[in-house]
């Protein structure tokens, strides 16, 4: 006669089989591999004077002996609390059993590389923190004027002034940044003789202002930037005698880009070639209605005069500018 095994015995037998299949003996080697490495939480640290830093051994529960190589620079308590006392460097040693773990402590006096800088829009300048091993957190008070990258590189965005800050611990170091648009602005009236001693240039200025005086117009001021631009244009006229420059742009483009770029409202230009002296060139200009109109324009206040001689031929240029 066949006997049925009770249900609870079947379940018990199944559990015993499963436990025997899943049981795997753990060797001594696997136990050793699971042991975590003992280490010091910092191997080097930078501190401001009078600041503290807690050191500790991770994965170690035994007794630790702490010692400083220079207690007058940085002391350490029985619990691993480091206190920065004076500027310098000290080594903190943690002894655990027969092993030693070391941390170098730098008591620092940081400074920022520049207190103030001036850069142009879209140009960059790299600031840095000196006398520190720490990495500062950089920020800009006005990111519309200038931004700063994580490494201290400042980039100008728009003309204006802002402050770039570097934070180390609880201290902040700052640099004033002035961003310019790169345009020259006529702000100071210089004596013509301080700009040039060329009799040809000074002669043109004198004759032109004499003519303006006859029409009750104020004298034009000789401008250094415009004079440099007019000299460049005179040289260009020796290559291509035209109000169009050798690169195909209009004459005033010399004031829009490059080293002579400036803020202005309107610009006019008179050019000539072959005349031997200042009086002759101004006289010839004044006999031409277009050139005369440029000389007598009421809204112009500053001028630049250029002159050069190429292969025995003289080239002249005068630029008239109206300021905003």
């Amino acid at each position: 006669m066949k006997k049925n095994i009770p249900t609870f015995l079947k379940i018990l037998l199944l559990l015993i089989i499963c436990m025997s299949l899943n049981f795997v003996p753990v060797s001594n080697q696997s136990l050793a591999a699971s042991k975590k490495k003992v280490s010091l939480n910092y191997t080097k640290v930078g501190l401001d004077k009078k600041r503290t830093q807690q050191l500790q051994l991770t994965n170690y529960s035994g007794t630790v002996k702490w010692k400083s190589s220079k207690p007058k620079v940085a002391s350490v308590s029985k619990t691993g609390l480091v206190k920065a006392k004076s500027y310098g460097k000290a080594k903190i040693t943690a002894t655990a059993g027969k092993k030693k773990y070391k941390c170098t402590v730098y008591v620092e006096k940081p400074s920022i590389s520049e207190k103030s800088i001036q850069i142009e829009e879209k140009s960059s300048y790299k600031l840095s923190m000196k006398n520190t091993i720490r990495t500062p957190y950089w920020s800009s008070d006005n990111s519309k004027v200038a931004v700063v990258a994580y490494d201290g590189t400042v980039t100008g965005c728009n003309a204006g002034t802002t402050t770039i800050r570097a934070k180390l611990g609880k201290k902040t170091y700052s640099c004033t940044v002035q961003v310019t648009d790169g345009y020259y602005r006529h702000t100071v009236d210089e004596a013509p003789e301080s700009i040039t001693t060329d009799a040809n240039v000074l002669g043109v200025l004198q004759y032109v202002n004499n003519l303006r005086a006859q029409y009750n117009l104020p004298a034009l001021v000789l401008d250094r930037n415009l004079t440099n631009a007019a000299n460049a244009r005179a040289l260009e006229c020796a290559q291509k005698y035209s109000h169009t420059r050798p690169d195909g742009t209009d004459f005033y483009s010399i004031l829009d880009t490059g080293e002579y770029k400036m803020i202005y409202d309107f610009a006019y230009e008179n050019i000539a070639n072959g005349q031997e002296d200042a009086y002759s060139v101004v006289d010839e200009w004044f006999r031409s209605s277009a050139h005369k109109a440029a000389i007598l324009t009421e809204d112009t206040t500053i001028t630049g005069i250029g002159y050069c001689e190429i292969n025995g031929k003289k080239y002249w240029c005068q630029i008239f500018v109206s300021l905003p």
Side-chain angles (χ1 to χ4, degrees):
M1 179 179 178
K2 186 178 179 181
K3 293 183 178 180
N4 292 327
I5 301 174
T7 302
F8 79 92
L9 288 178
K10 290 181 181 179
I11 294 172
L12 181 61
L13 181 62
L14 182 61
L15 287 172
I16 292 172
I17 293 171
C18 289
M19 288 176 67
S20 64
L21 289 174
N22 289 330
F23 177 74
V24 178
V26 179
S27 66
N28 289 334
Q29 184 177 359
S30 359
L31 286 173
S34 67
K35 189 176 181 180
K36 294 182 179 179
K37 183 180 179 181
V38 177
S39 62
L40 201 57
N41 59 337
Y42 292 99
T43 56
K44 65 178 181 179
V45 64
L47 293 174
D48 292 320
K49 196 175 177 181
K50 296 183 180 180
R51 304 304 301 174
T52 61
Q53 178 64 57
Q54 181 66 54
L55 297 181
Q56 61 183 20
L57 281 178
T58 58
N59 304 317
Y60 186 81
S61 56
T63 302
V64 180
K65 293 182 179 180
W66 299 92
K67 183 179 179 181
S68 171
S69 63
K70 294 181 181 179
K72 290 183 178 180
V73 173
S75 63
V76 61
S77 71
K78 293 180 180 180
T79 59
L81 182 67
V82 176
K83 184 176 182 180
K85 292 186 172 181
S86 61
Y87 300 119
K89 181 174 72 172
K91 285 190 179 294
I92 305 299
T93 301
T95 302
K98 295 182 179 181
K99 290 189 175 182
K100 296 180 185 293
Y101 305 86
K102 295 184 178 182
C103 172
T104 303
V105 175
Y106 299 85
V107 183
E108 303 172 335
K109 191 176 183 180
S111 62
I112 196 165
S113 57
E114 303 287 347
K115 293 293 183 67
S116 64
I117 60 172
Q118 180 177 303
I119 58 175
E120 291 187 4
E121 290 178 350
K122 299 181 181 179
S123 67
S124 298
Y125 187 95
K126 188 172 183 179
L127 296 174
S128 62
M129 289 300 300
K130 300 185 292 184
N131 307 316
T132 181
I133 64 167
R134 291 173 285 174
T135 300
Y137 172 76
W138 295 94
S139 64
S140 171
D141 282 5
N142 189 342
S143 58
K144 291 183 179 180
V145 174
V147 294
V148 60
Y150 70 94
D151 63 351
T153 299
V154 180
T155 302
C157 300
N158 294 288
T161 302
T162 188
T163 300
I164 299 298
R165 304 184 189 277
K167 187 175 182 182
L168 283 174
K170 293 191 175 182
K171 289 187 177 182
T172 301
Y173 306 82
S174 62
C175 173
T176 302
V177 177
Q178 182 182 6
V179 180
T180 66
D181 53 18
Y183 288 93
Y184 168 84
R185 289 171 172 81
H186 177 81
T187 56
V188 178
D189 292 344
E190 298 182 80
E193 294 78 12
S194 69
I195 296 175
T196 180
T197 57
D198 192 318
N200 292 292
V201 173
L202 297 176
V204 170
L205 179 67
Q206 180 184 344
Y207 295 136
V208 164
N209 280 337
N210 287 343
L211 291 170
R212 286 176 64 88
Q214 294 175 23
Y215 288 81
N216 296 317
L217 295 173
L220 296 174
V221 174
L222 190 67
D223 179 84
R224 183 179 294 274
N225 185 69
L226 275 180
T227 295
N228 291 335
N231 275 319
R233 281 290 298 132
L235 288 169
E236 289 183 350
C237 285
Q239 300 176 50
K240 178 182 180 180
Y241 186 68
S242 170
H243 291 298
T244 301
R245 302 176 66 191
D247 64 3
T249 61
D250 290 322
F251 77 90
Y252 51 79
S253 69
I254 198 169
L255 305 179
D256 297 332
T257 59
E259 59 183 310
Y260 310 118
K261 65 180 182 178
M262 64 179 293
I263 297 295
Y264 67 98
D265 273 345
F266 301 100
Y268 309 88
E269 179 184 69
N270 282 347
I271 59 174
N273 68 79
Q275 295 78 11
E276 290 299 317
D277 54 45
Y279 177 82
S280 298
V281 72
V282 175
D283 182 64
E284 187 166 327
W285 280 338
F286 211 66
R287 294 175 186 276
S288 161
S289 58
H291 294 84
K292 179 179 178 180
I295 291 173
L296 299 180
T297 301
E298 293 184 13
D299 59 357
T300 56
T301 55
I302 61 175
T303 188
I305 301 165
Y307 160 85
C308 71
E309 186 171 343
I310 306 294
N311 298 325
K313 190 173 185 178
K314 297 180 180 179
Y315 295 85
W316 308 80
C317 175
Q318 183 169 18
I319 301 175
F320 308 82
V321 156
S322 170
L323 295 174

